[in-house]
Amino acid sequence: MSSRRLLITNFREHLDVYVLASASNAFLTVSQYLAVSAAVASYLPVDPGTSALIASYGRVPGIALALLLNSLAFEGILSVLVVVLALSAIVKSGWRLAYAFSSVVISAFVGYWLGSRFLVILEWISTLQTNRVDISSSYSSLFWFGLAGTICYVLMILILRKSYGKLGRDEHVTSKDLP
């Protein structure tokens, strides 16, 4: 099987990995938006970067822009990691190790990013509660959006495993036909 054929074979899985990781990040971004928005509405201090964006563009666009810039960093790093994953499948020798390592790096990166975002949201909720702001909507949104993000993350890991298994089944063909 040629290198091009290998890339085409797993394109859908790699695209699914990217979409699911992005969706899990988006779910937690929405929850973070709700928590930060509640904090700003209660006149609680926010970080200087977000404060500058809020001062320049207003409350809703400023918070959205701050979170969008953060998400763009995630999307950029994720896209590079997914491309490395796709290219690791066409390595002549040792592709199993390269592909498995790339999969672990993607899983670890997305898991770390989601975990850190979850902790930031919990910090905002704690700050809101300390200042006697109603946190019921922020807390319930964190639960539901966090659950949806976790489901997407687990599905991403399962697709990575499926993709590795598919390459393993085709190994007898690929080891002979790779240039």
Side-chain angles (χ1 to χ4, degrees), residues 80-100:
V80 168
L81 291 175
V82 170
V83 167
V84 168
L85 176 71
L87 293 177
S88 69
I90 62 171
V91 173
K92 252 191 215 183
S93 61
W95 71 266
R96 284 182 177 266
L97 180 62
Y99 198 84

Side-chain angles (χ1 to χ4, degrees), residues 23-164:
S24 62
N25 181 50
F27 283 125
L28 287 181
T29 299
V30 169
S31 184
Q32 185 176 1
Y33 172 81
L34 294 173
V36 173
S37 183
V40 170
S42 301
Y43 301 105
L44 296 175
V46 294
D47 65 275
T50 305
S51 294
L53 290 171
I54 290 171
S56 297
Y57 299 106
R59 188 179 88 179
V60 173
I63 296 170
L65 190 58
L67 294 175
L68 177 68
L69 293 174
N70 193 346
S71 292
L72 285 177
F74 173 80
E75 296 298 326
I77 295 169
L78 180 64
S79 62
V80 168
L81 291 175
V82 170
V83 167
V84 168
L85 176 71
L87 293 177
S88 69
I90 62 171
V91 173
K92 252 191 215 183
S93 61
W95 71 266
R96 284 182 177 266
L97 180 62
Y99 198 84
F101 181 73
S102 298
S103 297
V104 168
V105 168
I106 288 177
S107 298
F109 169 71
V110 173
Y112 178 79
W113 188 276
L114 296 177
S116 65
R117 182 153 288 199
F118 187 80
L119 290 176
V120 166
I121 298 167
L122 283 179
E123 184 180 335
W124 276 112
I125 289 174
S126 174
T127 302
L128 290 169
Q129 186 177 17
T130 302
N131 289 297
R132 304 204 187 281
V133 176
D134 180 32
I135 60 162
S136 60
S137 65
S138 297
Y139 196 68
S140 66
S141 73
L142 174 62
F143 175 77
W144 290 112
F145 287 123
L147 180 63
T150 302
I151 290 169
C152 288
Y153 178 64
V154 169
L155 287 173
M156 180 199 77
I157 291 172
L158 291 174
I159 289 174
L160 283 170
R161 175 63 183 108
K162 175 185 169 191
S163 178
Y164 180 78

